[in-house]
């Protein structure tokens, strides 16, 4: 077996500007990765790096040549433990780049065997939770319109970005536009503990299910305060990057958010999920705004978690790849014949 590899940078325009408490973006900068065997089978992945975690498209493009050499040297996409170890040893700080390679290798291995990735992991496709659809920060009126559109498209769960001086108006507009929707809130570290505790009271009155990362990432005591004194369950995202972070947040939150781009790959994601399970925490698979080439790998591991926020590709105006179908938010894993299901359009 002789593996060949390559990558390319792409800028993917969003269907609408996407706002969170730290800023607004109009395009997702991804780096697509391909790993091909001598029989023409191709595995694909994609990095969606975030400057918040110290990665950029430039840093990913710098790290990938060495990582892909490691894959070619192993020369076996089924040797995933060896590959994961080699990726971590060569670029321990390049989680997004490692994640893209991990997804591509897993995709290729499953494709070679002619089976979907979830089956190679022995997972039950019916256990995958429905994904939420994210409503980014905008004017209250526009957020209400986006919520109504998402519900009309069949998405039953909305994840709402907050962290402004007018959060109450935004939630009010969304709840009015989508009275039956299940709602989750993500503040992306924007609030103080006192603000978060106060906000969870009226958020609970609007039927919000839980609040994600209400306080700064390093404020574990703040997370604990919000969990103990607030009115909603609390999820840790920025505060829990890898499996090694789970013990320090275990008594401070109820839910751990796992992302391939922040933990460094599918095996690393499974370890983080297992660590959270061992501490009695619930888990949610999250994502960056990314192509299906990067999203599809996490979709296949979704049966391992309690919640899913895997709508990154749904927010794009155009994606060069198809992925796992998501009718009305359901992850239709059984529609995938082999690999992750991510294939060029």
């Amino acid at each position: 077996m002789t593996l060949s590899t390559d990558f390319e940078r792409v800028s993917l325009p969003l269907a609408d500007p996407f706002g969170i408490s730290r800023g607004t973006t109009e395009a997702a900068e991804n780096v697509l990765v391909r790993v091909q065997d001598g029989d023409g089978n191709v595995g694909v992945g994609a990095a969606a790096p975030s400057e918040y975690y110290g990665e950029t498209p430039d840093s990913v493009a710098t790290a990938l040549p060495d990582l892909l050499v490691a894959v070619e040297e192993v020369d076996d996409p089924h040797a995933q433990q060896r590959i994961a170890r080699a990726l971590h040893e060569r670029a321990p700080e390049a989680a997004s780049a490692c994640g893209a390679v991990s997804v591509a290798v897993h995709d290729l291995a499953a494709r070679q065997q002619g089976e979907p990735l979830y089956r190679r992991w022995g997972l039950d496709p019916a256990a995958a939770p429905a994904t939420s659809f994210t409503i980014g920060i905008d004017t209250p009126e526009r957020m209400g319109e986006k919520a109504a559109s998402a519900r009309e498209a069949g998405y039953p769960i909305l994840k709402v970005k907050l962290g402004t001086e007018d959060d109450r108006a935004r939630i009010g507009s969304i709840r009015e536009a989508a009275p039956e929707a299940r709602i989750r809130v993500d503040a992306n570290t924007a609030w103080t503990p006192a603000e978060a505790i106060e906000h969870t009271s009226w958020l609970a009155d609007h039927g919000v299910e839980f609040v994600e990362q209400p306080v700064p990432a390093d404020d574990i005591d703040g997370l604990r305060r919000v969990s103990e004194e607030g009115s909603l369950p609390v999820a840790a995202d920025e505060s829990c990057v890898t499996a090694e972070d789970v013990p320090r947040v275990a008594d401070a939150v109820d839910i751990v958010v796992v992302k391939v781009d922040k933990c460094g790959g599918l095996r690393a994601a499974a370890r983080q999920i297992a660590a959270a399970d061992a501490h009695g925490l619930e888990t949610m698979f999250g994502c960056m705004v990314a192509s299906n080439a990067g999203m599809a790998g996490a979709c296949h591991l979704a049966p391992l978690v309690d919640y899913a926020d895997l709508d990154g590709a749904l927010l794009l105006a155009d994606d060069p790849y198809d992925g796992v179908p998501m009718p009305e938010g359901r992850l239709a894993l059984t529609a995938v014949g082999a690999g992750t299901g991510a294939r060029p359009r």
Side-chain angles (χ1 to χ4, degrees):
M1 181 185 299
T2 301
L3 298 183
S4 60
T5 61
D6 67 283
F7 68 92
E8 65 173 319
R9 292 174 60 164
V10 294
S11 181
L12 305 174
L14 275 61
D16 290 291
F18 185 69
I20 68 171
S21 62
R22 292 192 290 267
T24 300
T25 56
E26 297 186 359
E29 304 298 326
N30 284 196
V31 185
L32 302 177
V33 171
R34 288 176 288 267
V35 182
Q36 182 169 341
D37 66 16
D39 295 324
N41 297 303
V42 181
V44 297
S50 168
E51 289 190 30
Y52 182 87
Y53 296 107
E55 291 189 84
T56 65
D58 285 341
S59 71
V60 169
T62 298
L64 277 174
D66 196 33
L67 297 177
L68 293 176
V69 166
V71 172
E72 293 175 1
E73 289 175 350
V74 173
D75 200 34
D76 180 0
H78 300 272
Q80 289 158 5
Q81 185 179 29
R82 287 178 59 199
I83 290 173
R85 183 168 56 243
L87 298 180
H88 180 72
E89 289 173 351
R90 294 192 182 210
E93 305 302 321
S96 187
C98 289
V101 177
S102 168
V103 172
V105 169
H106 279 81
D107 182 25
L108 177 58
R111 178 157 286 273
Q112 286 180 342
Q113 295 300 111
E115 62 183 4
L117 183 59
Y118 73 82
R119 185 168 177 80
R120 283 189 60 79
W121 283 70
L123 301 179
D124 176 8
T131 182
S132 54
F133 187 94
T134 304
I135 308 297
I137 291 175
D138 208 321
T139 65
E141 295 75 19
R142 183 65 183 130
M143 290 178 75
E145 292 170 0
K146 291 178 181 179
S149 295
R151 289 294 294 124
E152 289 170 6
Y155 297 103
I157 309 168
L158 304 178
K159 175 176 171 177
V160 180
K161 295 289 189 176
L162 293 182
T164 75
E165 295 181 355
D166 203 13
D167 285 336
R168 193 185 292 253
R170 286 165 169 76
I171 284 292
S173 178
I174 287 171
R175 181 49 87 195
E176 181 178 359
E180 302 302 319
R182 295 169 59 190
I183 296 178
R184 300 158 185 172
V185 159
D186 184 3
N188 287 112
T189 75
W191 299 330
T192 66
E195 289 171 337
I197 292 165
E198 190 272 329
H199 291 335
T200 61
S201 178
W202 57 262
L203 288 170
D205 291 340
H206 283 287
V208 171
E209 294 183 338
F210 59 80
V211 60
E212 181 179 340
Q213 200 61 52
V215 302
D218 60 356
D219 190 1
I220 308 304
D221 288 339
L223 284 175
R224 187 178 296 104
R225 275 191 61 198
V226 179
S227 294
E228 293 175 351
E229 301 176 34
S231 302
L232 292 173
V234 175
D237 180 6
E238 287 92 336
S239 293
C240 190
V241 177
T242 68
E244 288 74 17
D245 295 322
V246 172
R248 75 188 188 101
V249 303
D251 68 347
V253 299
D254 307 280
I255 305 163
V256 162
V257 181
V258 178
K259 295 178 180 175
V260 172
D261 275 285
K262 69 175 183 178
C263 71
L266 296 182
R267 291 176 63 86
R271 284 197 301 274
Q272 191 172 3
I273 293 165
D277 289 345
H279 283 86
L281 302 174
E282 292 187 305
T283 50
M284 180 167 76
F285 236 130
C287 66
M288 308 302 185
V289 181
S291 166
N292 279 307
M295 296 294 311
C299 290
H300 283 261
L301 268 61
L304 293 172
V305 300
D306 302 285
Y307 310 103
D309 177 38
L310 293 171
D311 65 335
L314 299 177
L315 305 178
L316 299 175
D318 188 35
D319 188 346
Y321 283 83
D322 286 318
V324 175
M326 298 184 184
E328 299 183 338
R330 291 185 299 105
L331 303 184
L333 295 175
T334 56
V336 176
T340 66
R343 284 295 166 261
R345 288 180 169 167

